[in-house]
Amino acid sequence: MEGPEGQAPVRARGRIVILFRAALGLVFLAAFLSLAVQLSYLAGSRGLLPLHPYLEGVRAAATGRLERLHDFPTLFWLGDSDALLTAVPVIGVLLSLLLVAGLGGRSVVGLLWALYLSCIVAGRDFFFYQWDNLLLETALLAIILPGRGRAADLIRRGRHPPEPSPVVIFLLRWLLFRLLFESALAKIVYGADDWLTLHAMTYYYETAPLPSWGGWLVQQWPLWFQQLSAIITLCAEGLLPFLIFARRRWLRIGFVVLHAGFQATIALTSNYGWFNLLSVVLSLVVLEDDDLTRLVALVRRRDAGPRAMDAPESTPTPATPPKRLARLVSWALAAVVLPASLVEGWAYFDRGSFVNQTLAPLRRLYAPFRSINVYHLFPGVVRERIVAEIEGSRDGVAWSPLHLRYAPGDPGEAPPMTALHNPRLPFTFSFFTLGRGGRDAEYMRNLVARICCDPGAIGPLMEPGPFHDEPPKRLRVTYYRYRFGTWTDLQKRGVYWIREQVRAPTAPLTCSCPSGP
């Protein structure tokens, strides 16, 4: 949009904000739908990490309500029943639809942030991943964006929606920059043996937490392609982010197109649910309204001929500048987010530094809210996939496997594509064999107890198996090395995976269940 004669053009972003908010609503919709089908099974009274006893422990350790709310920020302090663990994600789904429709203003984004934080805090280790942090940090910044504007304003001529504060736009772009550049830097600092040798992609697909059919397919391609993929990844994360702050239109559009293509390739070859969609949505803040207008004009010309846009337009109304309160809040937020994000990056990349030793109390003030973070996607890549397969038996002689839904199991079954769903149990279980110092002990203990005594409590999390009518009497764990098979293996043997046992099964555990209430 051009300014008055003799002045610099106005960089309008009102329409981009409308598009961004609606797209963020779609991400929240996917996130809460994924929560709705699993949160109660993970954190409910019969779940794998029950919420109620944990809340009681936090309550006993805290000196007051404010301390426990700060240390464990969740609305489930008001009630932690299984019904609420199901109802809160459903409420999130409804609020997400309002955000997509452009209804409810800033309050809807604030409520979505609070509800999602409450749910993932309640789910504890099953929800302690970078995509959860990214959604919270994006939503926190999006609260300050103008809440007015409908989808019709995206294409309505002569009308300009309220303008966002340039400070908030900068913070969102800064977040996108950090997501990519910090991930590239982490690969160089902590994963040089994998990434700088260009070997990372040769085993990334089969050792990812949740392998996919698309990853299996790409794994079949030659070595030079895998090495080229490593180079493209380093460039996309290490060099491309510098276009985020570009002034030239073609550079901005080029970044969004290249970034969307990069994220699409990841989504087609892996299972990270809505994470890649969120990254693409975040990239929209690089654009300006003029970019969107020219794109719409280009589409109309193609549909209606070269003279479709020649008709005179009505005089546009001037863009509404951000209100003073919004500007003040955005500057206050920047005063917190900018230094804190630099501190988080410094602490991660220099772990014995002054930041870790001296500023730890300051970092603990905002850390529980998970809305200012450092991002480090795959700094190193696991080089072989060891799977712990739980087996059950009724007589101690014949053993049958019990597979988690979506996890590698039957070699003849293709790795799944989970689309926008993030199944948390198999994702977390994939780290069990990596030796995480007891972090998996509690949910594994409860998983064994549910299999033995209460299989209905985890039924939707498990594949149908031989013990659907009567639980097993004994359990053991057998460890296998899994690697992707080739086209020849699939054609001749009908298997996607080649597996071999790597150690003797553990000593059988006899199931012991309470005899009554």
Side-chain angles (χ1 to χ4, degrees):
M1 183 178 71
E2 299 296 331
E5 188 175 354
Q7 295 184 15
V10 178
R11 298 188 179 278
R13 302 182 180 93
R15 290 191 175 96
I16 289 298
V17 166
I18 294 175
L19 180 61
F20 172 78
R21 283 168 54 89
L24 182 61
L26 291 176
V27 176
F28 267 119
L29 180 62
F32 278 110
L33 284 172
S34 183
L35 280 173
V37 298
Q38 59 184 321
L39 182 60
S40 62
Y41 295 102
L42 299 175
S45 59
R46 299 160 62 198
L48 300 180
L49 290 177
L51 176 60
H52 179 74
Y54 190 82
L55 287 179
E56 292 303 310
V58 176
R59 192 192 309 271
T63 58
R65 292 182 179 179
L66 288 179
E67 182 181 353
R68 69 181 186 230
L69 184 60
H70 171 269
D71 294 343
F72 202 71
T74 178
L75 296 174
F76 289 109
W77 283 111
L78 301 175
D80 54 28
S81 67
D82 293 354
L84 279 175
L85 286 168
T86 301
V88 169
V90 172
I91 294 173
V93 168
L94 298 177
L95 290 174
S96 300
L97 292 173
L98 289 180
L99 186 59
V100 172
L103 302 175
R106 293 184 173 97
S107 60
V108 169
V109 185
L111 287 172
L112 287 169
W113 176 85
L115 291 181
Y116 194 72
L117 175 64
S118 296
C119 290
I120 66 171
V121 166
R124 294 192 280 160
D125 283 0
F126 290 123
F127 296 88
F128 214 84
Y129 296 107
Q130 292 182 72
W131 60 61
D132 298 313
N133 297 349
L134 181 64
L135 182 53
L136 287 173
E137 190 164 355
T138 303
L140 179 67
L141 298 176
I143 294 173
I144 314 301
L145 294 173
R148 291 177 291 162
R150 304 290 184 267
D153 291 333
L154 288 172
I155 58 175
R156 187 179 298 169
R157 298 182 183 182
R159 179 181 176 86
H160 294 287
E163 282 297 302
S165 166
V167 176
V168 178
I169 294 298
F170 171 80
L171 290 177
L172 286 165
R173 292 179 176 183
W174 172 241
L175 172 58
L176 179 60
F177 178 86
R178 288 189 287 118
L179 171 67
L180 296 173
F181 188 73
E182 287 176 343
S183 295
L185 193 58
K187 290 176 173 60
I188 295 172
V189 173
Y190 295 119
D193 290 343
D194 297 319
W195 290 100
L196 297 186
T197 60
L198 305 183
H199 288 134
M201 302 305 291
T202 62
Y203 31 77
Y204 159 80
Y205 300 108
E206 66 185 10
T207 63
L210 288 184
S212 70
W213 184 86
W216 180 89
L217 183 63
V218 175
Q219 183 74 45
Q220 312 304 315
W221 297 1
L223 176 62
W224 66 263
F225 178 84
Q226 314 300 343
Q227 294 174 328
L228 178 61
S229 297
I231 295 174
I232 291 174
T233 299
L234 290 172
C235 291
E237 293 181 344
L239 300 178
L240 195 61
F242 289 96
L243 298 182
I244 290 174
F245 302 101
R247 289 290 186 119
R248 294 183 180 275
R249 179 180 301 110
W250 67 271
L251 289 176
R252 296 194 303 266
I253 296 176
F255 168 79
V256 174
V257 170
L258 291 173
H259 179 67
F262 177 61
Q263 294 298 327
T265 60
I266 299 175
L268 291 172
T269 57
S270 59
N271 284 317
Y272 302 117
W274 42 262
F275 179 54
N276 303 111
L277 175 61
L278 174 57
S279 184
V280 174
V281 169
L282 189 56
S283 74
L284 294 176
V285 299
V286 172
L287 301 175
E288 297 173 359
D289 284 358
D290 192 47
D291 302 321
L292 190 62
T293 300
R294 290 176 180 271
L295 179 61
V296 171
L298 178 63
V299 173
R300 285 176 172 172
R301 285 194 182 98
R302 289 182 175 178
D303 291 343
R307 299 189 60 82
M309 297 296 294
D310 291 347
E313 297 187 10
S314 58
T315 303
T317 59
T320 305
K323 293 183 178 180
R324 183 180 179 184
L325 179 59
R327 294 199 301 269
L328 291 176
V329 172
S330 62
W331 277 107
L333 191 62
V336 175
V337 170
L338 278 176
S341 63
L342 292 172
V343 165
E344 290 303 300
W346 189 357
Y348 177 78
F349 290 105
D350 188 6
R351 295 180 179 177
S353 67
F354 162 83
V355 170
N356 282 296
Q357 297 172 4
T358 308
L359 298 184
L362 178 63
R363 295 174 63 203
R364 282 196 292 269
L365 291 177
Y366 57 81
F369 301 95
R370 298 174 59 176
S371 297
I372 304 176
N373 309 282
V374 62
Y375 298 94
H376 43 86
L377 305 177
F378 286 96
V381 180
V382 178
R383 300 196 178 191
E384 64 175 4
R385 182 175 205 92
I386 304 298
V387 173
E389 185 171 272
I390 302 173
E391 298 175 332
S393 174
R394 292 195 179 97
D395 57 10
V397 177
W399 294 88
S400 300
L402 296 97
H403 292 148
L404 303 181
R405 195 179 297 272
Y406 301 111
D410 183 353
E413 291 186 3
M417 299 290 288
T418 64
L420 297 178
H421 177 42
N422 281 334
R424 302 302 180 121
L425 176 57
F427 200 97
T428 303
F429 186 75
S430 69
F431 300 105
F432 177 71
T433 58
L434 299 183
R436 303 199 301 173
R439 284 184 56 189
D440 303 293
E442 182 181 357
Y443 85 81
M444 278 298 296
R445 183 170 60 250
N446 287 327
L447 178 61
V448 168
R450 302 299 181 264
I451 292 174
C452 286
C453 308
D454 192 9
I458 55 170
L461 306 179
M462 306 290 294
E463 293 283 0
F467 304 106
H468 65 279
D469 54 343
E470 181 184 351
K473 304 298 183 182
R474 296 176 178 84
L475 294 178
R476 71 181 187 184
V477 177
T478 302
Y479 293 87
Y480 294 93
R481 179 183 293 110
Y482 274 67
R483 60 180 178 84
F484 278 154
T486 64
W487 280 109
T488 301
D489 294 316
L490 181 60
Q491 293 169 350
K492 293 185 176 180
R493 302 169 54 190
V495 296
Y496 290 88
W497 292 99
I498 305 297
R499 73 173 191 172
E500 56 180 323
Q501 187 173 329
V502 294
R503 68 183 78 165
T506 60
L509 171 69
T510 301
C511 291
S512 177
C513 303
S515 57

